[in-house]
Amino acid sequence: MAVFDTPQEAFAALRPLCVQLTRAQTVENVSRLQSRLAAVSAPALQQLQEYVLFPLRFALKVPGPRQERLVLSLLRCISSVLATTCVKKPELLQELFSELCTCLAPPSSPSKPAPLSEELKLAVIQALHTLMHSAYGDVILSLYQPSTLPLLGFAVSLLLGLAEQEKAKQIKISSLQCLQVLALQCDCQEHQHLDEDEAQQCGDVFASFLPGISITLSRVITGDIKQGHKPTVSAIRLFYQVVGLVMADEQLARAPKDKEKPPVEQSKIAELMVHRGPDWSKSTAEKLCLLLQKVVEFSSVHPHWKVRLELVELVQHLLRNCSRSLVDSFGHLLKALVGLVNDENSQVQSRCSEVLRGAAERGAVAQSRALADVLSENLHSLATALPRLMNSRDDAGKVSTLSLLLGYLKLLGPRINIVLNSTSHLQRLSKALVQVLELDVTDVKIVEDRRWGGEGACGPAGSLQRGVQRGRSQKKYFRFFAEEKVFQLLQQVCRVLGYYGNLYLLVDHFMGLYGDSGMYRKQAALVLNELIAGAAGTGVDVLQEREVAPSVDDLRGSITSVLDEYTDPANWYLITSIEAEESSPEHAVPRSGLAARPGALCGSVLLPPPEPHPATRTMNSNIWQICIQLEGVGCFAAVLGREFRSLLLSALYPVLEKAGDKTLLISETALGTLVDICEACSYDSVQCLINENSDYLVNGISLNLRQLAHQPHASRVLDTVLRHSDASLLPLVEDVIQDVLSALDQSYSNQAPAFLRVLLSVMTALGRWFGSSCAGDQRRGRSEASSRGQRAVTAQGVERLFLDYVRQKQIAEGNVPDTGDEETDEIPPLAKPEPNDSDTEGEAPLPSHAQLAKAVMERCIHLLSDGSLRVRLKVLDVLELCVTVLHPHGNHLLPMAHRVWPALVTRLISDDPLAVLRAFKVQQQVSASSLQAGA
């Protein structure tokens, strides 16, 4: 088809079709005209714009009923013409605007949309949208005059009705977008650069429509969620654009104080215009405050992230443009902002943080009210409502409330001390934190989960770092919430407080809560740990940097006071099991003025008599308190780094005590704390940590072992030290072991169980350090004994052993055989032992570890007949380890084996089945080692 480039050619081609359409308004005639228009160039059509639009407009205004298909064709044709051309006459713009709006309103009710099809409504809205964009330059401003106020109001009411009442999503969205164009707030280039006068003119006109627009849009925003997120997003955008236009601080500042008197001929229309004076601004701001509160509360919890993101844009737009006029709404706007700063969507969170940071830097609040005043009021309200909310099952509400609390603290930033300096605010906030952080301590498995005997204690010291990772951050269960997100928010709240707040004030306040009430002790310890981590800037997310960071001396001072309180005997020695209570009284002691600690090198802590058996809940609570305090020690080490070495004298010994605890949760947490200390203080491993501090540790162990009745935990420290060290520590602990043996000789009757725990730890370590070669020798000896060459010697030795036992038994029963009996003659004479080179005067001295094993074995012989089954079982365990260590030294092992044999046989003949089984295993070990040594 040929293209008509000149107006003459285009006129000749279009005239017949325009005349035909004027005579007969049919769908076919409209279609022919639209087809021919496609062949006309844009410049030529611009010249013929009014001529072409005349038959189309005439067809729309023909009285009487019209086919909907015809109106739809006319609207589409008009839109195509307007999309190609520009409207350059204000009269034409207003006439077309009026005619298109009339298509939506029925004659009976002009203010309501007609019951038209969805397709026709969309066509009218699209035509209006295209018409506004086709207005050229200043022509569009002709719509924003007092004289056109009724026409513009008519269009606004029609589009608002469609946006609120229509069910079709596309109609809602198109109506809102068309209203955005009417407010000159669309995203096109022509409407983005309104100068001050043009914006003022538009704002004056839309001030008359603000009540209707804001109320209707608030209903759309808070409407049925089934409408989808797009209409809601469009409604929020239009809401803040219109409000930001009409209530802009700059425009209100330029508005005259008194309303100008209009000319007489315009007096009626001028009455419709709103004068944006101080009284009107104040009254409108109060009404908008209610609407904004409603919009914020609904949109901030909307399930779709784009709605929440648009809410952030609303806050940013109003804070930037209306910070003075909407000062009463500032609290609601901040609530929206801080509530989304921890949103689950990264885009919402990022944008919210950016807006919050900008608001904090600008101090976007009216001069009459300080930012801290607004936020402190909200903080006090939140802190009051938080414990009450935690009793409910509303997990989403808990997350939302804590997000608000965290956001307010972040926005306050360095001003947070203004709030903390208020006693009522600090007490309310601290009580809220310790109440919601209450732990659930009802799980009986916490008490049941034990580590028996030292299983796994013989593992290599270097394996600690590999096996302890799961114990470094114990998962906690809380009474009022189960979601991890809630705990993470509470952690951030505490860390932000520590980051910005006065550290000495906060530590002193929560230490008061820690000491005053056992109910709040665990929660206060949790908060203290997080406060100090936040003060060091560890794992804290903030919007602005603090003015002055605490020095290392400040951190060390706070940590020292907290550490002293944690390791105070009243808080460190708590009942964690009934067995522990019976064997070594682990119960809280009354608080005293002395800062005595388990690792102190002087004095001792006298523990009172045990109380009645505590409930499982109490023991669980004690276990968690110890674990939280241990985690605190690890946290303090991470905060100070190498500076924590100066506090090792007060911290290392207590942690090593707990690393040897029977309760698995405590021991794992303590081992994790040791790893944290190693990493913070730049030790290569726990073994290096122990070895480099061994002189202090051994001295403390030695002093406390001398008072084992009052210091029952010293054996745990020794056990942990030996378990995670190597043979290089033996010279240091040798004197300690000798002291233990001497003490055992003096009070074995009542202190045997405690001393045996120490001896078991020692022999386990000696077996690990020096027993590998012994075990290899035993295996090689058994292999050689099974060979054919040694079989006769082995058989002879076994025969001799049992014949000697039979003879001794007969003598004990008084059945002494006759020396001339034939049976005795059959007993082969015992061969005299051959002299051994080791018996000569040049025999090498017995190594120190073997000497210790021999000395321990001598004590075990006497304790094998103890009346306590538990003691006898532990003696057998120690005895087996002694045999293992003495195996390479046959000349010393054989006499000891001969001495232990009668006591061991007694255990085999008449004892508890557990002791018989254990004694049989030891007998096998003794027999094998003795035979190998004799061979």
Side-chain angles (χ1 to χ4, degrees):
M1 180 180 295
V3 177
F4 307 104
D5 293 325
T6 64
Q8 293 79 11
E9 293 176 350
F11 179 77
L14 295 175
R15 182 177 180 277
L17 297 176
C18 290
V19 173
Q20 186 177 3
L21 179 58
T22 305
R23 291 176 179 174
Q25 294 80 31
T26 62
V27 176
E28 291 76 13
N29 289 339
V30 178
S31 298
R32 293 190 189 98
L33 176 59
Q34 188 166 2
S35 299
R36 186 63 55 87
L37 288 173
V40 179
S41 64
L45 186 57
Q46 180 66 50
Q47 296 293 327
L48 300 172
Q49 182 193 53
E50 292 188 57
Y51 180 79
V52 175
L53 286 175
F54 175 78
L56 297 171
R57 295 170 58 196
F58 179 78
L60 282 177
K61 292 186 291 184
V62 172
R66 292 166 295 181
Q67 294 182 357
E68 191 171 288
R69 289 180 59 247
L70 174 60
V71 178
L72 185 60
S73 299
L74 290 169
L75 291 171
R76 288 174 177 171
C77 190
I78 290 173
S79 295
S80 65
V81 173
L82 295 175
T84 310
T85 62
C86 295
V87 177
K88 298 182 179 181
K89 294 181 179 181
E91 297 80 6
L92 179 61
L93 174 63
Q94 295 176 22
E95 290 173 2
L96 284 171
F97 192 85
S98 176
E99 292 164 4
L100 292 175
C101 290
T102 306
C103 293
L104 285 174
S108 59
S109 180
S111 62
K112 294 183 180 180
L116 308 174
S117 67
E118 295 178 359
E119 191 176 12
L120 183 56
K121 293 176 183 177
L122 281 174
V124 175
I125 297 170
Q126 183 61 42
L128 281 171
H129 194 281
T130 306
L131 174 63
M132 294 296 297
H133 281 90
S134 68
Y136 183 78
D138 296 338
V139 174
I140 194 171
L141 294 177
S142 64
L143 275 178
Y144 302 92
Q145 303 291 337
S147 59
T148 58
L149 193 62
L151 177 59
L152 201 57
F154 177 52
V156 169
S157 62
L158 286 173
L159 292 172
L160 286 175
L162 290 173
E164 181 181 9
Q165 299 169 11
E166 285 295 324
K167 301 296 183 183
K169 185 187 303 183
Q170 190 57 46
I171 295 179
K172 284 179 173 288
I173 297 172
S174 298
S175 301
L176 294 168
Q177 290 175 347
C178 189
L179 279 168
Q180 189 179 350
V181 176
L182 284 180
L184 302 182
Q185 299 295 318
C186 62
D187 300 329
C188 62
Q189 295 297 323
E190 290 82 0
H191 296 165
Q192 281 187 341
H193 304 289
L194 295 176
D195 58 28
E196 292 182 359
D197 294 335
E198 293 170 349
Q200 188 83 21
Q201 181 180 346
C202 184
D204 288 339
V205 172
F206 267 82
S208 303
F209 311 140
L210 182 60
I213 291 176
S214 58
I215 293 173
T216 303
L217 290 179
S218 66
R219 289 200 294 259
V220 175
I221 294 169
T222 59
D224 193 347
I225 201 172
K226 294 179 181 178
Q227 69 182 354
H229 73 279
K230 289 184 178 180
T232 307
V233 169
S234 298
I236 293 175
R237 183 179 295 120
L238 180 60
F239 184 93
Y240 69 74
Q241 286 176 343
V242 173
V243 173
L245 173 69
V246 177
M247 301 297 293
D249 294 333
E250 296 180 357
Q251 292 194 25
L252 294 178
R254 289 198 303 268
K257 293 184 179 180
D258 299 323
K259 186 176 182 180
E260 299 177 358
K261 293 183 179 181
V264 178
E265 62 274 10
Q266 298 181 1
S267 59
K268 292 185 179 180
I269 296 179
E271 290 178 359
L272 300 176
M273 291 291 292
V274 169
H275 173 61
R276 293 188 285 174
D279 294 338
W280 178 89
S281 300
K282 181 179 180 181
S283 175
T284 304
E286 292 175 356
K287 297 180 176 66
L288 285 173
C289 182
L290 300 176
L291 294 178
L292 280 170
Q293 180 181 5
K294 182 179 179 182
V295 168
V296 164
E297 290 178 352
F298 182 87
S299 303
S300 59
V301 295
H302 197 281
H304 203 283
W305 66 272
K306 288 188 177 180
V307 174
R308 303 195 300 272
L309 181 61
E310 199 62 37
L311 179 61
V312 176
E313 298 298 334
L314 177 146
V315 177
Q316 193 268 347
H317 188 85
L318 297 183
L319 288 180
R320 184 181 58 192
N321 297 294
C322 312
S323 60
R324 292 191 297 273
S325 61
L326 296 180
V327 61
D328 293 333
S329 301
F330 197 76
H332 303 310
L333 298 179
L334 284 178
K335 181 178 180 180
L337 207 56
V338 299
L340 298 174
V341 72
N342 301 295
D343 193 84
E344 59 185 14
N345 184 270
S346 59
Q347 294 186 43
V348 177
Q349 188 177 122
S350 175
R351 179 59 178 154
C352 193
S353 298
E354 181 182 348
V355 174
L356 263 177
R357 192 174 293 110
E361 292 173 355
R362 291 194 310 269
V365 69
Q367 297 179 356
S368 60
R369 298 181 69 184
L371 177 63
D373 293 337
V374 178
L375 295 178
S376 62
E377 291 178 6
N378 291 329
L379 278 175
H380 192 276
S381 301
L382 281 173
T384 304
L386 190 58
R388 183 169 58 252
L389 177 65
M390 286 296 168
N391 282 311
S392 69
R393 297 183 179 180
D394 184 11
D395 291 340
K398 297 173 185 177
V399 172
S400 176
T401 303
L402 285 171
S403 296
L404 282 175
L405 178 62
L406 178 58
Y408 285 135
L409 293 174
K410 287 183 177 181
L411 190 57
L412 269 171
R415 303 181 189 89
I416 210 169
N417 286 309
I418 299 175
V419 178
L420 298 180
N421 288 335
S422 169
T423 304
S424 63
H425 281 78
L426 179 57
Q427 289 181 349
R428 178 66 63 183
L429 184 59
S430 61
K431 284 294 180 67
L433 288 175
V434 296
Q435 286 177 21
V436 301
L437 280 170
E438 183 177 349
L439 288 164
D440 181 7
V441 294
T442 57
D443 188 3
V444 71
K445 293 182 180 179
I446 299 174
V447 173
E448 290 179 346
D449 205 358
R450 318 285 288 164
R451 47 181 293 274
W452 293 109
E455 296 177 1
C458 295
S463 65
L464 174 60
Q465 276 82 353
R466 295 192 299 270
V468 80
Q469 297 299 323
R470 65 189 180 96
R472 295 184 65 178
S473 180
Q474 300 289 356
K475 180 175 176 58
K476 301 172 182 62
Y477 299 92
F478 296 89
R479 179 181 174 186
F480 297 117
F481 60 88
E483 286 193 16
E484 185 67 20
K485 177 69 173 177
V486 176
F487 181 54
Q488 292 172 358
L489 288 171
L490 287 168
Q491 279 184 309
Q492 279 297 307
V493 166
C494 297
R495 293 192 181 190
V496 170
L497 281 173
Y499 185 83
Y500 288 120
N502 185 323
L503 183 60
Y504 283 107
L505 171 65
L506 289 169
V507 169
D508 183 69
H509 180 76
F510 280 96
M511 285 299 293
L513 290 177
Y514 177 92
D516 292 343
S517 174
M519 181 185 303
Y520 295 146
R521 190 159 295 158
K522 295 182 295 299
Q523 302 93 296
L526 273 174
V527 174
L528 283 167
N529 297 345
E530 300 298 336
L531 284 175
I532 293 176
T538 304
V540 60
D541 180 26
V542 294
L543 300 173
Q544 52 184 322
E545 295 296 327
R546 53 190 167 187
E547 298 172 354
V548 179
S551 65
V552 175
D553 291 337
D554 292 335
L555 291 173
R556 187 190 294 110
S558 298
I559 287 173
T560 301
S561 63
V562 177
L563 193 59
D564 288 344
E565 192 71 15
Y566 280 1
T567 55
D568 186 275
N571 304 318
W572 198 253
Y573 297 108
L574 305 174
I575 301 174
T576 58
S577 68
I578 296 176
E579 174 198 356
E581 180 194 10
E582 292 172 348
S583 60
S584 59
E586 297 179 11
H587 30 72
V589 299
R591 188 181 305 275
S592 63
L594 297 176
R597 291 188 295 275
L601 301 184
C602 60
S604 62
V605 180
L606 299 179
L607 302 179
E611 299 174 357
H613 291 331
T616 301
R617 180 186 181 89
T618 302
M619 290 188 288
N620 282 348
S621 178
N622 293 340
I623 290 170
W624 274 118
Q625 181 180 331
I626 294 172
C627 288
I628 292 169
Q629 293 170 170
L630 285 167
E631 290 175 356
V633 176
C635 173
F636 303 157
V639 165
L640 290 179
R642 289 183 62 89
E643 295 293 328
F644 191 75
R645 289 193 175 203
S646 61
L647 300 179
L648 283 179
L649 290 179
S650 59
L652 184 55
Y653 192 100
V655 174
L656 287 171
E657 278 184 346
K658 297 306 176 185
D661 198 280
K662 292 290 185 181
T663 304
L664 188 62
L665 198 65
I666 295 177
S667 61
E668 283 190 345
T669 306
L671 292 176
T673 301
L674 288 174
V675 175
D676 290 336
I677 293 174
C678 289
E679 294 176 355
C681 298
S682 302
Y683 290 104
D684 294 335
S685 64
V686 175
Q687 178 177 323
C688 294
L689 171 67
I690 292 174
N691 288 346
E692 293 193 24
N693 296 276
S694 56
D695 52 349
Y696 144 70
L697 292 173
V698 171
N699 193 21
I701 293 170
S702 177
L703 290 175
N704 290 330
L705 283 178
R706 294 172 186 173
Q707 307 176 46
L708 198 57
H710 305 301
Q711 290 285 356
H713 309 284
S715 60
R716 294 182 183 176
V717 184
L718 180 61
D719 176 62
T720 306
V721 168
L722 293 173
R723 190 189 317 159
H724 300 297
S725 187
D726 56 12
S728 63
L729 194 67
L730 182 59
L732 287 174
V733 300
E734 189 172 357
D735 292 340
V736 175
I737 300 169
Q738 292 294 345
D739 292 342
V740 171
L741 294 176
S742 299
L744 179 61
D745 292 339
Q746 298 174 6
S747 58
Y748 72 91
S749 59
N750 54 357
Q751 291 296 320
F755 285 118
L756 280 174
R757 281 197 296 271
V758 178
L759 296 179
L760 181 62
S761 300
V762 171
M763 295 313 304
T764 300
L766 293 179
R768 184 173 68 252
W769 296 340
F770 305 102
S772 58
S773 60
C774 304
D777 292 343
Q778 285 179 322
R779 286 192 295 270
R780 287 192 299 272
R782 284 192 293 268
S783 176
E784 293 172 0
S786 62
S787 64
R788 182 173 302 177
Q790 295 294 331
R791 184 173 302 169
V793 177
T794 303
Q796 182 181 3
V798 173
E799 182 181 4
R800 174 186 173 185
L801 187 68
F802 278 97
L803 287 174
D804 184 62
Y805 168 70
V806 170
R807 183 182 298 106
Q808 294 293 334
K809 183 178 181 181
Q810 289 176 345
I811 292 174
E813 294 175 352
N815 185 14
V816 181
D818 188 3
T819 54
D821 193 20
E822 296 179 357
E823 292 182 3
T824 58
D825 295 336
E826 295 177 358
I827 300 176
L830 298 179
K832 295 182 180 180
E834 298 179 0
N836 195 306
D837 294 338
S838 62
D839 292 332
T840 63
E841 294 181 357
E843 179 185 4
L846 192 64
S848 59
H849 68 275
Q851 293 178 11
L852 290 175
K854 183 177 180 182
V856 171
M857 194 170 182
E858 290 177 350
R859 272 71 175 184
C860 290
I861 295 172
H862 300 293
L863 292 172
L864 270 177
S865 58
D866 192 274
S868 171
L869 174 62
R870 183 178 301 227
V871 171
R872 295 198 301 275
L873 291 174
K874 192 157 291 187
V875 168
L876 290 169
D877 290 337
V878 175
L879 191 61
E880 184 178 8
L881 291 169
C882 292
V883 173
T884 302
V885 175
L886 284 174
H887 173 74
H889 311 283
N891 288 342
H892 297 275
L893 175 61
L894 288 174
M896 294 304 301
H898 184 74
R899 289 180 57 191
V900 79
W901 187 257
L904 197 59
V905 169
T906 304
R907 303 276 70 76
L908 288 169
I909 295 175
S910 58
D911 207 335
D912 187 274
L914 288 176
V916 172
L917 180 61
R918 195 72 190 91
F920 181 73
K921 292 180 180 179
V922 175
Q923 180 268 332
Q924 287 181 313
Q925 179 78 3
V926 172
S927 298
S929 298
S930 300
L931 293 175
Q932 179 62 25

